Amino acid sequence: MTVSAWYESLAPSPAALPARAWCDSDAETLSLDGLWRFRLSARADDPEDFVDAEFDDAAWGDLPVPAHWQLHGHGAPAYTNTRYPIPLDPPRVPAENPTGDYRRVFRLPDDWPGGRTVLRLGGVDSSARVWLNGTEIGHTTGSRLVTEFDVTGALRAAADNVLAIRVVQWSAGSYLEDQDMWWLSGIFRGVDLIARPVDGALDDVTVRADYDHRGGAGTLLVSTPVPARVRVPELGVDAPAGEVVELPHVDPWSAERPRLYDATVSCGAETVRLRIGFRTVAIVDGVLTVNGRRLLFNGVNRHEFQPDRGRALTEEDMLEDVLLMKQHNINAVRTAHYPPHPRFLELCDEYGLWVVDECDLETHGFWHVDWRGNPADDPRWERLCVDRMRRMVERDKNHPSIVLWSLGNESGSGRNLAAMARWTRDRDPSRPLLYERDWSCRDVDVYSRMYLTHAEVDAIGRGAEPPLPDAALDERRRRMPFIHAEYAHAMGNGPGGLREYQELYETHPRCQGGFVWEWIDHGVRAHTDQGQEFFAYGGDFGEVEHDGNFVADGLLFPDRTPSPGLLDLKKVFEPVRVTADRIIDKQSVRDLSHLEFRWILEEDGQAVAQGRLDVAADGRITAPALPDTSGEAFLTVRAVLAADEPWAKAGHEVAWGQFPVRDRPAPSPRPAPPLLVRRDDDGIRVGPALFDPRDGGLRRLGGLPVTGPALQVWRAPTDNDRAPHGEPLEPVWRKLGLDQLRQRVDDVEVRDGAVVVRTRVGSAGTDLALLATYTWSGLADDRLGLAVSIDPVGPWDCPLPMLGVRFGLPDSLSGVEWFGLGPGESYPDTGYANRIGRFYRTVAELQTPYVFPQENGRRADVRWATVTDGPGAGLRVTGRTPFGLTVRPWRTEALDRAAHPTDLVPDGQTWLTLDAGHQGIGSASCGPGVLPAYLLPAAPARLDLELQVW
């Protein structure tokens, strides 16, 4: 095959310097970040005259570095999940290849030292060719990897220097970077000049800091290419590099206690500053351990993303991610699917997160052609694949937070992955290897899978997974620890089933947790023609080939606001579990001494007593003396930080538990309606209510105009209902017409002091139906009883979306207070973050702004709720048994039609839905569906309510 361009080369850049550790050196550094001159062309073969110093770039524009050019008005972003947006013809790419030309004029500082100078490119997508003062320096490959060049011979002192870089969107490397994210191009990480001494430079530093958990001793070995001294003042270390230093006692590093020792490595010409963490990673009897303790990954997969800058993150973005993870009980990160910015790993070292560092490799799109031509198994690509692994390992090798290397993601299986594994084991035997897609585990040390069902995880934990055809490989795999590389797909409303997964990880020693997919929604900030802000997803930029909102599958909304899913995950990942009689410590290293335990007793949602709880060292609780209560009462115990931590202030809630103290009094039998039914010219009157005599519909309640009730079965499908990569329920529901149900009123009868309305609800083309009977009774001048009985007709063979009734109220009723689960939304298999209490939100605040609008905002186990206007007048609903509550400023039908939140416009009414049940959420957008316990079968249901003019 003929390769006609530098960006189609299958050889690592020959001019690039050897990969080395990212170090904090006292050598002079000049950042070239800032505004560069920029021009975008349609092809990569345009003339290269722009590299000349005399070239006139006055007609060009400015572009910041670091940045992606598509996010600054040059071209447009494009999103695909697996399918390449270019023809599969590796390593060739289309002639139509958007190409960015960059120019930067700079001068060296007057005191710039003599000797060598290195140009460092932190990250360029996808490949670049570099010139300095008209001299070609070399080209890059590997978008998320550092490339360095020696530019000494081309650099000018005391004169202008012109750095020219041509960046192509498509290159041979693009075939290795099909990583379920926006295709965004440009110089998106920093550009620096680094002064290097002529002789005696610390061009690389390698740290090996082991910990012996049996006696607490540490072993330190720092290797350098030139003679140097290693100093760790806190440990009294002052030794030559290359010498093993035995330390009788060190404090180990862990994610719970990220103990770091400040160190320097000095030679005559340079000093490098290090932060050393002592820890030892091992697999013992099939269990992954760190410092002798079983590791449990309470993790997330993290793409680098910010809605305005894409992957061009600032330190503030990275720190915010780390702090949010720590504050939500996350202890681990898989760097999906490439090495992150080096500063992120430094923050993981400092604040304490376990890291699986993943190579910049994914060839997922070859799956669509049965893996024909897959670079992971084509020997021509071996050098590029191994080069990517080498550059990651060398750059990141000194981070104690990194406990596993990952060969990459979803690249099938093949010889080049084996070559990457061989090189890594030889270079760094201190960390095990992970790679999910080769289920034989031929080249790795850890068994890993994606999106398994709970039953499959349980089978692996019991050693009962299906055998491999190769008996030797099967036996080897069964001796490996298991890590769920991706699970609980956090797309839209969800994920459900988190608690059941965690129970399996905590039950089976071999199952050592995993990484929820994923950390953040990749919504690009955009605006409508009217200036309304929203977050765009695939297809919003005119892409022909795209995967829609599958890019919005995170625990954070694009602006880094936590979603309900993240709040649930925090609850599931709690490092201590609060039970009624003890505190169960699930931490690996820390004890309970950094926590304070506070209790509060609430009766009918109102606080009646509170205090601090005495907890013994073994976790046993001394129960507080509680006052008597007469209503429904709950004791809530909160574990909070007793003092400031680097990642949160004192008082930050880490865990909680809630326990019933006094049950809700059983409802007394409802007496015969004391108010008679009256008929007049306006309709049928019962207590405060006026009904239409033709269809039995409620028209007025006191002074409130009301429409309804209407049987509500449909919900705006969630991403998990649509299940783009699973088994969807939405088409099943739509085929049955559940989104277009028609109601027929069969009878309106006045009987025994009540109004009884019998209806049949069905859809076109099917005899399946739901019979709904509404029985209204007047209880007082301001109170109305409503019993709703729902009975299915026919052989329903699928669960229902939901089952309830909907009322239309005036939109002046915009405040909602309720006693039930809150403050956030809850569905049968979500809402773990919520507790029973009394809460208030506006109708607007009850809506969850998922990037793609869908079912949201339900509050569960509601005892009573009020929907009121500003002065507090409105409607109160009380359930004789708890019910589900949803209040919206638009109908479900409008929510179903919307593609973005900006499509949702209040329609002049407040829509109140009271439900007797809801289908669970699950994780079927890319994983298993709803567990059987959370399905909503078509079965008889009942709502027993009281409506009161408030």
Side-chain angles (χ1 to χ4, degrees), residues 203-216:
D203 284 334
D204 198 10
V205 175
T206 302
V207 177
R208 180 73 183 266
D210 295 326
Y211 178 72
D212 182 356
H213 65 277
R214 293 175 292 272

Side-chain angles (χ1 to χ4, degrees), residues 222-241:
V222 178
S223 303
T224 59
V226 297
R229 292 206 68 83
V230 180
R231 296 179 177 88
V232 189
E234 193 174 354
L235 295 174
V237 172
D238 186 344

Side-chain angles (χ1 to χ4, degrees), residues 38-42 63 68-78 97-100 169 182-185 524 540-543:
F38 178 79
R39 173 185 68 185
L40 182 67
S41 303
L63 182 70
H68 297 285
W69 68 60
Q70 290 91 345
L71 300 181
H72 289 265
H74 304 281
N97 191 355
T99 298
Q169 177 161 3
W182 292 101
W183 295 94
L184 295 170
S185 315
V524 175
D540 284 336
F541 298 98
E543 310 101 298

Side-chain angles (χ1 to χ4, degrees), residues 743-826:
Q743 174 176 288
R744 184 185 70 221
V745 176
D746 287 337
D747 188 32
V748 179
E749 178 186 9
V750 176
R751 184 186 67 192
D752 300 329
V755 177
V756 181
V757 181
R758 297 182 181 86
T759 67
R760 185 185 190 276
V761 176
S763 62
T766 177
D767 60 353
L768 300 178
L770 295 164
L771 305 181
T773 301
Y774 304 87
T775 302
W776 300 91
S777 55
L779 304 179
D781 289 339
D782 64 346
R783 287 192 297 125
L784 189 68
L786 169 62
V788 185
S789 296
I790 306 168
D791 294 287
V793 175
W796 292 84
D797 59 0
C798 70
L800 299 177
M802 65 161 294
L803 207 50
V805 293
R806 182 176 72 187
F807 296 87
L809 306 173
D811 65 356
S812 58
L813 306 186
S814 59
V816 182
E817 185 177 18
W818 74 98
F819 177 37
L821 277 177
E825 69 184 25
S826 293

Side-chain angles (χ1 to χ4, degrees), residues 463-528:
E465 67 266 35
L468 293 170
D470 186 311
L473 282 177
D474 184 66
E475 182 182 358
R476 180 174 177 271
R477 191 182 72 174
R478 290 176 188 275
R479 294 197 302 268
M480 291 181 176
F482 170 78
I483 294 172
H484 215 166
E486 296 176 19
Y487 78 103
H489 197 253
M491 187 178 180
N493 188 337
L498 288 170
R499 178 176 290 161
E500 289 79 3
Y501 276 121
Q502 193 69 9
E503 289 171 353
L504 292 169
Y505 304 147
E506 294 181 8
T507 297
H508 299 301
R510 182 190 182 193
C511 296
Q512 297 190 243
F515 300 87
V516 170
W517 186 268
E518 66 167 305
W519 177 237
I520 189 169
D521 286 340
H522 303 200
V524 175
R525 198 185 309 273
H527 296 84
T528 66

Side-chain angles (χ1 to χ4, degrees), residues 168-183:
V168 294
Q169 177 161 3
W170 308 119
S171 69
S174 301
Y175 289 105
L176 303 179
E177 296 170 5
D178 185 29
Q179 292 154 321
D180 185 15
M181 59 187 182
W182 292 101
W183 295 94

Side-chain angles (χ1 to χ4, degrees), residues 37 106 147 159 171 201 246 328 338 382 409 431 647 931 947:
R37 301 296 286 165
F106 66 93
T147 304
S171 69
E246 301 288 351
H328 289 86
Y338 42 82
E382 179 178 332
N409 184 66
R431 294 176 174 97
W647 46 270
L931 286 167
L947 282 63

